[in-house]
Amino acid sequence: MLDDMRDVNVGNWEWESGTFPESGVTIDDTDMIQGLGSNLFEDDSDSDANYDHFSDSDYGFTDEDDRLYDENVDVNTTLPSNFLERDDRMFDSDSEEYPDSDDGFSSLNETEDEDDSRTKKTHVFKPIKGKEELVFCEGMLFRNRAQFAGAIRHHSILQGKQIRFTKNETTRVRAKCRVYVDPDNGKCKVECPWEIFASERKKGSKTLQVKKYNPNHNCGRIWNNKLMNSEWLSMMYFDEIRISPTLKVSEMMEKVRQEFKCNVSLSQCYRTKHKVLRKIEGSMDEQYAKLWDYCHEIHRTNPVVEIENTSTWTWFLQHLIPDLEIVNEPTWTIISDKQKGLENAIKQLLPAIEHRHCVKHLHNNFKNAGFPGKVLHDKMWELARASYVGRFNFLMGELEKEDPKAFEWLSDPNRDPCHWSRSHFILTPKCDILVNNLCKPFNKAILCARDKPILTMLERLRTYFMDRLVKKREFATKWVDELGPKIHKKIEKIKERYGDYIIHPCGEGEFEARGFDGGQHTINLKTQTCSCRRWDLTGIPCEHAARVIVESGGQPEEYIC
């Protein structure tokens, strides 16, 4: 027996819950499971029953325990002095002789004597990380009660057996399978023979060793297993939820039922996902505690304002201008709501840059001022889309006839058309955008981050921008030419209106396009301009210019500027 015991050198083992020093054996009492750090014996099943915890007073020592003790413990044995010395080859995770499985799941760690005897082995349980079935055996070592009880729970759920803990103490644990009614004789109760018992290997060590094990089950599989809880599920699905944090709770519930043939509730799946995300992202308290450090780190390049006024907007632009390398030239355009103080700040810092007001917000103000209705809505948007001054003035006259007060409201000097109508936009930026709805897809894209703790939210935004830029660059490498697919699509739509105009050459590269609706415009191919100003505004030939280009033997794509 001493030869068998020499195979088990536990001195200075590295345990998750403590260490075994050479002199004496001490290990901190903990019920924490590595990875999720929660109490193993927490039971969040929908039933009020808790089958994991029993007080010592309910289950005292029995004669059976004494008999097992006498059978398994030799009180006259004297341990050798080197019993607790470490044998490094026993638990070297890098050893080729005892490699870990690929999925990190293994329940046995076998060691041998120097004489290579295959009859003398010690089995040490390794933490469960996968979904494979574990293998118990007599003599197997568990570092503490929590690990042993967790292994039993794992076996119970995977095998679909209703295992109960008849004794659950720090120094000894006994678990048995259920008592069920014989299907052939409804009045006869049958006890499943499966049973496992483990007790402390050495007094005070907290290490449990299996002393008795019967692996046989004669009961059927159960659907409702009270040992399945969110703590166990969070260990099983940690990686899946980490990779797919948007996994729906209902989808997770069906996945658990299919994989483990066991019932699970929506509330259990919700708690499972919450625990995993909390582990990954950290709690709100933890993140807000780090917020000041985070703000200090990004303060240099990420300005934050308190209120909207000329001073704060000036401060904001002073940080934004160097970041984006904005030059005070008319090649830039700023479009915004009519923010307080922003217009003054732009005039002060960037006087040469065009500042536009979002027409959608302007129309909301127009409507709230007492001018609702479809007719006024359409007339205002026609004014905004008018591409040359003559068209704008004609439409303003039509508005005055329709509603003089609406005309007066839009004619206010504070609503200068240079801020909201294409007819008054400068031509240098080659941009005819009327609204700032680019923020709408942005807000939609960040919905998944907005409800997260503050640091997680900011990091998700940062990675979102980074990923988007990379994807756009990769997409651009697939273009057939330097023009993007959207530009080609616009050109094709313009070509569809070729037949609406008759072209008359005027000499010196100028042409006149007359439409069947009575309108006419002058096009100059040398200066790449059209009197409708749409070519000038966007850099893309309008339908008038495109017809002239084709009549001259060219293609509209060649005249994009």
Side-chain angles (χ1 to χ4, degrees):
M1 181 173 180
L2 289 176
D3 292 336
D4 293 342
M5 300 177 84
R6 289 192 182 97
D7 292 341
V8 190
N9 297 326
V10 297
N12 285 338
W13 289 0
E14 294 184 358
W15 300 78
E16 297 173 357
S17 55
T19 59
F20 285 101
E22 294 183 359
S23 59
V25 179
T26 60
I27 180 168
D28 296 335
D29 184 14
T30 176
D31 290 335
M32 308 300 286
I33 294 299
Q34 181 182 10
L36 290 174
S38 296
N39 195 306
L40 178 68
F41 297 95
E42 174 191 352
D43 187 0
D44 61 357
S45 65
D46 294 335
S47 171
D48 292 336
N50 189 332
Y51 290 84
D52 285 66
H53 181 74
F54 296 88
S55 62
D56 293 345
S57 61
D58 291 338
Y59 295 90
F61 287 93
T62 65
D63 295 336
E64 174 67 9
D65 298 327
D66 295 334
R67 183 183 64 78
L68 289 171
Y69 184 87
D70 294 336
E71 289 178 357
N72 292 277
V73 179
D74 186 356
V75 297
N76 296 319
T77 299
T78 302
L79 298 181
S81 59
N82 65 343
F83 173 66
L84 293 179
E85 293 181 359
R86 176 175 178 173
D87 184 356
D88 290 333
R89 68 183 177 86
M90 291 177 62
F91 299 105
D92 185 1
S93 59
D94 297 329
S95 171
E96 296 182 358
E97 185 177 359
Y98 308 108
D100 290 338
S101 61
D102 293 337
D103 60 1
F105 179 94
S106 177
S107 61
L108 298 181
N109 185 17
E110 301 182 354
T111 60
E112 301 180 34
D113 274 347
E114 294 181 358
D115 61 0
D116 198 32
S117 172
R118 310 300 289 183
T119 61
K120 300 178 181 180
K121 300 178 181 179
T122 298
H123 305 290
V124 178
F125 180 81
K126 290 185 177 180
I128 302 169
K129 296 181 180 178
K131 298 177 183 178
E132 297 182 8
E133 175 59 68
L134 56 87
V135 179
F136 291 107
C137 66
E138 290 189 8
M140 180 178 284
L141 297 177
F142 293 84
R143 68 172 180 266
N144 53 26
R145 175 188 61 179
Q147 189 183 58
F148 182 53
I152 295 174
R153 182 191 296 272
H154 191 81
H155 170 82
S156 170
I157 297 171
L158 265 61
Q159 292 297 315
K161 306 300 180 182
Q162 187 173 312
I163 295 175
R164 65 193 191 281
F165 291 85
T166 60
K167 190 176 298 293
N168 194 354
E169 302 169 0
T170 304
T171 58
R172 55 181 183 166
V173 177
R174 184 188 302 276
K176 294 183 178 182
C177 198
R178 64 175 174 142
V179 177
Y180 62 95
V181 178
D182 189 346
D184 298 329
N185 184 354
K187 297 181 179 180
C188 181
K189 292 185 178 181
V190 180
E191 183 174 2
C192 178
W194 188 94
E195 181 181 4
I196 190 168
F197 172 77
S199 61
E200 201 171 41
R201 188 162 188 259
K202 183 179 180 181
K203 187 175 180 179
S205 68
K206 306 292 177 65
T207 302
L208 300 186
Q209 185 173 30
V210 176
K211 303 296 181 60
K212 179 182 179 181
Y213 178 55
N214 186 340
N216 301 314
H217 284 281
N218 62 12
C219 59
R221 190 178 187 91
I222 61 172
W223 175 245
N224 295 304
N225 195 325
K226 294 181 173 63
L227 291 183
M228 175 180 279
N229 60 13
S230 62
E231 197 65 51
W232 184 85
L233 288 171
S234 61
M235 289 191 289
M236 295 299 105
Y237 289 96
F238 184 88
D239 289 335
E240 293 186 35
I241 297 175
R242 176 179 57 83
I243 295 171
S244 303
T246 58
L247 176 67
K248 294 182 179 179
V249 174
S250 57
E251 295 176 356
M252 181 181 177
M253 181 177 70
E254 293 302 321
K255 187 178 182 68
V256 173
R257 289 176 175 178
Q258 291 178 8
E259 292 185 356
F260 295 106
K261 306 297 186 295
C262 183
N263 190 26
V264 65
S265 66
L266 280 172
S267 60
Q268 285 178 307
C269 293
Y270 174 81
R271 289 191 293 268
T272 297
K273 184 176 179 180
H274 175 75
K275 288 178 180 179
V276 173
L277 294 179
R278 183 183 177 90
K279 175 66 178 177
I280 295 171
E281 300 169 354
S283 67
M284 288 194 177
D285 291 342
E286 293 171 349
Q287 295 213 6
Y288 273 101
K290 300 176 182 178
L291 183 57
W292 285 110
D293 292 336
Y294 188 88
C295 290
H296 178 73
E297 185 67 23
I298 66 173
H299 177 71
R300 295 171 297 167
T301 56
N302 293 270
V304 179
V305 299
E306 299 172 357
I307 58 176
E308 295 180 5
N309 55 31
T310 301
S311 176
T312 54
W313 277 116
T314 300
W315 177 85
F316 176 83
L317 289 176
Q318 286 173 339
H319 285 79
L320 184 67
I321 290 170
D323 280 353
L324 300 183
E325 299 180 355
I326 299 175
V327 181
N328 185 28
E329 296 177 354
T331 52
W332 288 79
T333 294
I334 295 177
I335 182 170
S336 70
D337 304 347
K338 197 168 183 179
Q339 303 285 356
K340 298 177 181 178
L342 178 57
E343 190 167 351
N344 295 332
I346 293 175
K347 288 180 180 179
Q348 176 184 346
L349 298 176
L350 301 168
I353 287 182
E354 182 182 49
H355 179 207
R356 300 178 188 175
H357 297 160
C358 175
V359 177
K360 184 175 181 180
H361 289 86
L362 181 64
H363 173 259
N364 287 336
N365 295 337
F366 180 71
K367 183 171 59 176
N368 294 334
F371 309 108
K374 175 68 173 173
V375 174
L376 293 179
H377 168 275
D378 293 345
K379 287 189 175 297
M380 180 175 177
W381 277 97
E382 286 178 355
L383 285 164
R385 295 189 181 103
S387 58
Y388 57 98
V389 176
R391 175 68 176 169
F392 177 84
N393 291 335
F394 170 79
L395 292 173
M396 283 294 285
E398 293 294 311
L399 176 64
E400 186 177 15
K401 295 176 184 179
E402 181 69 31
D403 192 324
K405 290 185 177 180
F407 169 81
E408 183 180 350
W409 191 90
L410 277 178
S411 300
D412 189 293
N414 292 325
R415 301 179 185 92
D416 193 320
C418 69
H419 295 303
W420 58 274
S421 176
R422 288 173 178 164
S423 60
H424 291 71
F425 289 169
I426 61 175
L427 304 178
T428 310
K430 303 303 178 187
C431 173
D432 65 346
I433 293 177
L434 295 172
V435 295
N436 61 351
N437 60 356
L438 289 174
C439 62
K440 286 187 175 180
F442 170 75
N443 287 334
K444 184 178 179 180
I446 65 174
L447 280 177
C448 62
R450 291 172 64 178
D451 62 341
K452 298 295 183 292
I454 183 68
L455 298 188
T456 302
M457 180 190 70
L458 294 173
E459 279 300 291
R460 286 200 177 184
L461 293 181
R462 184 184 64 82
T463 55
Y464 166 75
F465 293 138
M466 181 174 60
D467 293 341
R468 179 175 173 81
L469 289 173
V470 170
K471 289 178 182 178
K472 290 299 181 182
R473 289 193 186 100
E474 292 176 352
F475 176 71
T477 60
K478 301 177 183 179
W479 291 1
V480 295
D481 53 31
E482 62 182 6
L483 302 178
K486 289 186 178 181
I487 302 299
H488 282 290
K489 190 175 181 179
K490 288 182 178 181
I491 292 294
E492 292 302 317
K493 286 186 177 181
I494 290 172
K495 289 179 180 179
E496 294 175 359
R497 299 194 292 271
Y498 277 177
D500 295 342
Y501 301 93
I502 298 176
I503 305 301
H504 299 279
C506 302
E508 299 296 329
E510 285 193 357
F511 299 82
E512 186 178 276
R514 294 184 178 180
F516 296 128
D517 58 357
Q520 65 182 55
H521 295 281
T522 303
I523 301 97
N524 190 317
L525 292 185
K526 291 183 178 180
T527 59
Q528 296 188 355
T529 60
C530 177
S531 60
C532 77
R533 293 181 82 245
R534 287 202 292 272
W535 191 5
D536 311 56
L537 279 169
T538 63
I540 301 174
C542 57
E543 59 266 29
H544 320 115
R547 178 63 185 270
V548 171
I549 292 170
V550 172
E551 292 251 342
S552 303
Q555 291 296 325
E557 291 84 354
E558 300 170 359
Y559 285 81
I560 293 177
C561 57

